[in-house]
């Protein structure tokens, strides 16, 4: 991957009093630790290097001294990476090299953002310039400050092309056009299909990508009047509706990264996964600042996913059942305070998102109760007074018309593209968006997986940016491992077994990097008292993984370590 040389070409050498590894070599050492130990704490690197010093020297052929990987040196590395203006150039060089070295397909790419919640307290004098701010939290922690991370990936393997650490309070809309421009520079052409979420579908983004010769496909944000437009089109399609089918061949679905249907042996029927139609429309947009006029043709794709429709309908039925159960409990004990009852109803309706699907009313039943004066037995002549009592009655019912309208448009989405039908058919558009999990998989690894950045231990935001840069490189390692192995398995029509704990016979054609790394946990280098060495032998699974990765088994032999 040429990580060390690319970093060293962009970063100045450490100051004259610091001897030993270069910044690029230290970055490789830290990355090796992160990938091997699933831990980004730089304070632990020194001990790990000391324990594996002989192995690391043999592998790298570097002179790795005792204090080479202290947390001070690693902290300086992260800060300099986060501080340098050459960070985008390093990202670009890494991606361009990998695309060429591994002959990666460059016809389709996508980008997305997420937020990382932290517990940092920011002083008022630096808050304005800080990356760590309050903003819309995708972690559902609005009480915490956060920073955002953008990730652009290359289909079909999901390899990161570039990443960027952004302020926590910004909007994503303005990030997609600059990201596309950088991806165009990395890939060296603009014919790739650019995919992103609905926040990318602003008029300005679409107009400028079109104006600069790009190809895009975005889901449209469902702001008014688009929901009504979608409902009208679904009820009365203006063009022919076609079925969208997926080949039942499991290997084809595997290459797309999705397994919606498990085909039995010998099954050859195609699976209908949805339907759709398209509406050609012309667009005009005028840039407010320059009054430049953009005019172009688009295709509005109206697509239904059967799986999504089923999930949405089941979700509504579940919310209705739970909401009505809560309302029934409230109906049995409405209390005496009408305002308090109204508040509780609103909380239930809002919690289960039933505002459009349930209506309710509160009736007051007024009665007068006799309250006798004094104590003792009562007679007809006993004096009493009447006390006015108000009993609250809660009534509620489903809004059948709204529920049926929801079911009619369930699973339907509006997409917009400037690609021709030859470049992107309706079926290909559905398949493309079924792979939207690719950036999300990277975010999962950054948050809860083996490459987790959380919790963040740094206060220095430059170090945070440096760490996220290195984690993005580590994610490249994982995705390249998976791509190379899966490609080899597909070409050889074989699979891998013994990767799943407790189920050694289970096989897979799509092994994850995590499982392949875990398969090498039991290899040990023995150093005897006479300084001779011995390495535990490789089992069949380890040997097969190395062959699939085009890595020589000799790296696990004593001859290799002796020569190193």
């Amino acid at each position: 991957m040429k990580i060390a040389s690319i970093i060293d070409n962009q970063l100045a050498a450490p100051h004259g009093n610091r001897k030993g590894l270069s910044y690029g070599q230290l970055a490789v050492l830290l990355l090796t630790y992160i990938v091997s130990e699933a831990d980004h704490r730089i304070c632990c690197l020194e001990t790990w290097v000391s324990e594996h010093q002989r192995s690391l020297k043999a592998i790298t052929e570097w002179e790795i001294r005792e204090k080479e990987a202290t947390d001070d040196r690693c902290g300086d590395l992260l800060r300099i990476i986060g501080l340098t203006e050459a960070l985008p150039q390093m990202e670009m060089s890494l991606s361009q090299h990998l695309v060429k070295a591994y002959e990666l397909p460059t016809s389709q790419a996508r980008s997305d953002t997420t937020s990382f919640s932290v517990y940092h307290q920011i002083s008022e004098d630096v808050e304005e310039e800080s990356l760590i701010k309050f903003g819309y939290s995708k972690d559902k922690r609005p009480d915490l400050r956060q920073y955002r991370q953008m990730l652009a990936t290359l289909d079909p393997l999901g390899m990161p092309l570039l990443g960027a650490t952004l302020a926590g309070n910004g909007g994503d809309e303005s990030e997609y056009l600059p990201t596309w421009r950088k991806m165009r520079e990395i890939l060296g052409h603009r014919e790739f299909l650019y995919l992103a979420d609905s926040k990318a579908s602003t008029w300005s983004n679409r107009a400028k990508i079109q104006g600069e010769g790009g190809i895009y496909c975005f889901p449209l944000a469902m702001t008014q009047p688009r929901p009504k437009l979608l409902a009208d089109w679904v009820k009365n399609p203006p063009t022919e509706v076609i079925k969208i089918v997926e080949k039942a061949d499991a290997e084809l679905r595997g290459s797309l990264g999705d397994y919606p249907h498990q085909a039995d042996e010998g099954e050859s029927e195609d699976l209908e996964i949805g339907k759709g139609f398209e509406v050609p429309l012309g667009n005009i947009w005028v840039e407010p600042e320059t009054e430049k006029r953009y005019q172009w043709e688009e295709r509005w794709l109206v697509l239904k996913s059967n799986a999504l429709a089923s999930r949405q309908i089941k979700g509504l039925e579940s919310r209705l059942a739970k909401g009505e159960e809560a309302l029934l409990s409230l109906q049995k004990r409405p209390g005496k305070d009408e305002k308090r009852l109204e508040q509780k109803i609103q909380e239930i309706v809002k919690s289960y998102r039933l505002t459009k699907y349930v209506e309710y009313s509160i009736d007051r039943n007024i009665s007068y109760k006799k309250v006798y004066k004094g104590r003792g037995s009562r007679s007809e002549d006993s004096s009493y007074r009447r006390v006015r009592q108000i009993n609250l009655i809660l009534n509620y019912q489903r809004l059948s018309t709204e529920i049926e309208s929801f079911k009619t448009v369930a699973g339907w989405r509006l997409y917009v593209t400037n690609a021709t039908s030859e470049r992107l058919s309706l079926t290909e558009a559905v398949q493309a968006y079924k792979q939207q999990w690719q950036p999300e998989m990277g975010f999962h690894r950054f948050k809860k997986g083996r490459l987790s950045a959380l919790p963040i231990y740094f206060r220095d935001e430059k170090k945070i940016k440096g760490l996220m840069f290195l984690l993005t490189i580590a994610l490249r390692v994982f995705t390249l491992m998976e791509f190379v192995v899966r490609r080899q398995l597909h070409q050889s029509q074989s699979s891998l077994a013994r990767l799943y704990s407790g189920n050694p016979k289970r096989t897979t054609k799509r092994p994850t990097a995590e499982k392949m790394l875990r398969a090498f946990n039991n290899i040990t280098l023995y150093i005897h008292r006479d300084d001779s060495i011995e390495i535990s032998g490789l089992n069949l699974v380890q040997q097969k993984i190395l062959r699939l990765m085009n890595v020589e088994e000799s790296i696990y032999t004593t001859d290799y370590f002796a020569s190193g």
Side-chain angles (χ1 to χ4, degrees):
M1 295 176 67
K2 294 187 176 180
I3 295 170
S5 61
I6 288 174
I7 291 178
D8 285 336
N9 286 339
Q10 297 298 329
L11 297 183
H15 61 74
N17 293 331
R18 178 165 290 180
K19 306 296 182 182
L21 299 181
S22 68
Y23 282 133
Q25 293 170 330
L26 183 56
V28 169
L29 209 58
L30 180 54
L31 277 166
T32 307
Y33 172 73
I34 291 172
V35 170
S36 300
E37 302 298 317
D39 184 7
H40 69 268
R41 294 176 298 167
I42 60 176
C43 61
C44 302
L45 179 63
E46 183 179 2
T47 301
W48 181 80
V49 169
S50 176
E51 292 172 349
H52 300 83
Q53 192 169 13
R54 184 162 185 168
S55 300
L56 292 170
K57 282 184 177 181
I59 293 167
T60 62
E61 299 183 356
W62 300 336
E63 181 60 33
I64 301 176
R65 297 179 298 180
E66 184 178 351
K67 293 297 181 179
E68 202 71 73
T70 61
D71 56 348
D72 286 341
R73 292 198 173 195
C74 292
D76 288 345
L77 167 69
L78 296 181
R79 193 172 191 283
I80 288 172
I81 289 177
L83 187 64
T84 180
E85 296 180 355
L87 187 56
Q89 183 59 47
M90 286 194 290
E91 291 258 35
M92 186 174 299
S93 299
L94 281 166
S95 296
Q96 287 176 335
H97 168 68
L98 294 179
V99 168
K100 292 178 182 178
Y102 288 89
E103 299 180 348
L104 302 179
T106 61
S107 61
Q108 196 163 288
R110 65 187 74 228
S111 68
D112 200 358
T113 60
T114 192
S115 57
F116 287 77
S117 298
V118 297
Y119 292 87
H120 292 45
Q121 299 297 321
I122 307 298
S123 59
E124 294 182 1
D125 56 330
V126 298
E127 186 168 5
E128 188 66 27
E129 301 175 356
S130 174
L131 289 174
I132 312 299
K133 296 179 181 292
F134 289 107
Y136 175 74
S137 174
K138 297 184 179 181
D139 298 326
K140 302 187 185 301
R141 289 301 305 268
D143 58 313
L144 296 179
R145 295 178 184 271
Q146 63 180 23
Y147 66 91
R148 294 178 298 135
Q149 184 70 21
M150 182 278 294
L151 193 63
T153 62
L154 188 64
D155 286 6
L157 64 160
M159 190 200 79
L161 285 176
L162 58 95
T165 305
L166 310 169
N169 66 338
D172 296 341
E173 293 83 355
S174 61
E175 301 298 334
Y176 291 100
L177 180 61
T179 298
W180 174 80
R181 287 169 174 163
K182 293 175 184 175
M183 294 167 76
R184 178 188 65 189
E185 192 173 352
I186 290 172
L187 299 179
H189 66 88
R190 62 192 71 194
E191 285 76 34
F192 64 94
L193 177 65
Y194 182 39
L195 300 132
D197 60 22
S198 60
K199 293 188 291 295
S201 66
T202 62
W203 288 105
S204 60
N205 284 341
R206 288 149 55 194
K208 290 181 179 180
I209 292 175
Q210 160 70 23
E212 296 177 28
I215 306 173
Y216 61 81
C217 182
F218 304 138
L220 282 171
M222 296 307 288
T223 54
Q224 292 296 343
R226 288 169 184 163
K228 185 179 185 306
L229 179 65
L230 175 62
D232 291 342
W233 279 353
V234 169
K235 293 174 184 176
N236 300 292
T239 57
E240 181 186 1
V241 179
I242 66 170
K243 292 182 180 180
I244 297 174
V245 298
E246 184 176 66
K247 296 294 183 182
D249 184 83
E251 289 180 6
L252 174 61
R253 292 197 307 277
S255 67
L256 297 174
D258 194 34
Y259 288 83
H261 170 69
Q262 185 63 45
D264 296 326
E265 187 174 353
E267 184 179 2
S268 59
E269 294 182 0
D270 292 342
L271 175 71
E272 182 180 342
I273 61 174
K275 56 185 176 180
F277 55 92
E278 62 180 79
V279 182
L281 293 174
N283 283 331
I284 297 176
W285 181 75
V286 178
E287 189 172 9
E289 293 81 5
T290 63
E291 297 187 356
K292 181 179 179 180
R293 179 189 178 98
Y294 293 84
Q295 186 171 352
W296 74 104
E297 297 293 324
E298 277 187 328
R299 297 160 58 213
W300 286 43
L301 311 181
V302 190
L303 303 174
K304 179 183 181 180
S305 164
N306 292 340
L308 177 60
S310 177
R311 290 197 303 271
Q312 288 180 340
I313 292 172
K314 286 181 180 179
L316 177 60
E317 293 293 347
S318 175
R319 299 200 314 271
L320 282 168
K322 293 177 180 178
E324 288 177 334
E325 183 180 353
L327 290 173
L328 178 61
S329 177
L330 198 58
Q331 186 183 56
K332 292 178 180 178
R333 295 183 179 180
K336 301 295 183 181
D337 188 335
E338 185 173 351
K339 289 185 178 180
R340 177 60 179 158
L341 177 60
E342 175 82 24
Q343 181 182 353
K344 290 182 178 179
I345 296 171
Q346 287 292 334
E347 289 174 355
I348 293 172
V349 170
K350 184 177 180 181
S351 174
Y352 293 104
R353 305 194 305 265
L354 300 176
T355 305
K356 295 173 57 177
Y357 309 110
V358 171
E359 66 176 358
Y360 66 91
S361 62
I362 300 173
D363 296 334
R364 296 191 298 172
N365 184 14
I366 301 176
S367 61
Y368 294 89
K369 181 181 179 181
K370 288 182 179 181
V371 177
Y372 288 92
K373 297 179 180 180
R375 299 181 179 179
S377 59
R378 310 299 184 203
S379 66
E380 293 181 1
D381 298 329
S382 299
S383 61
Y384 64 88
R385 60 188 175 87
R386 291 189 177 274
V387 178
R388 186 170 180 261
Q389 287 188 331
I390 300 177
N391 296 316
L392 300 178
I393 302 173
L394 169 61
N395 301 302
Y396 61 90
Q397 65 177 6
R398 295 187 179 188
L399 295 174
S400 301
T401 303
E402 293 293 337
I403 293 173
E404 288 304 315
S405 296
F406 173 85
K407 292 181 178 179
T408 300
V409 299
W412 288 92
R413 285 296 306 269
L414 280 173
Y415 297 84
V416 63
T417 181
N418 64 341
T420 63
S421 56
E422 292 78 16
R423 176 68 173 83
L424 184 70
S425 67
L426 289 177
T427 300
E428 289 169 338
V430 171
Q431 291 173 342
Y433 269 94
K434 286 177 67 178
Q435 300 177 67
Q436 189 59 26
W437 54 266
Q438 290 179 5
E440 295 294 338
M441 182 63 178
F443 293 146
H444 172 76
R445 281 168 162 162
F446 284 164
K447 290 184 176 182
K448 297 181 180 179
R450 193 173 179 91
L451 304 179
S452 178
L454 299 175
I456 288 289
Y457 298 102
F458 304 123
R459 295 287 178 182
D460 189 333
E461 295 175 13
K462 300 298 185 294
K463 292 181 180 179
I464 294 176
K465 291 180 69 174
L467 173 65
M468 296 308 301
F469 170 74
L470 290 185
L471 289 179
T472 305
I473 296 178
L475 183 58
R476 286 180 172 93
V477 175
F478 276 33
T479 52
L480 283 172
M481 284 178 63
E482 293 169 348
F483 175 74
V484 171
V485 170
R486 292 173 186 181
R487 182 169 60 181
Q488 293 286 84
L489 288 173
H490 178 73
Q491 291 173 354
S492 63
Q493 296 294 305
S494 59
S495 59
L496 269 176
R498 299 186 176 276
L499 293 181
Y500 296 89
S501 301
N503 192 359
K505 294 184 179 180
R506 180 179 174 182
T507 62
T508 179
K509 296 181 179 180
R510 295 180 54 79
T512 64
E514 288 86 348
K515 284 185 169 53
M516 289 188 285
L517 286 170
R518 196 175 296 121
F520 287 82
N521 278 350
N522 61 345
I523 297 179
T524 306
L525 173 68
Y526 298 95
I527 304 174
H528 300 293
R529 291 183 177 179
D530 60 357
D531 209 34
S532 62
I533 59 175
E534 180 183 354
I535 301 175
S536 54
L538 298 176
N539 58 39
L540 294 178
V541 178
Q542 293 162 345
Q543 293 173 8
K544 185 171 184 178
I545 292 174
L546 290 176
R547 286 197 301 272
L548 291 169
M549 291 179 61
N550 297 320
V551 174
E552 297 291 336
E553 292 183 30
S554 61
I555 66 171
Y556 288 103
T557 63
T558 54
D559 292 341
Y560 180 86
F561 278 81
S563 62

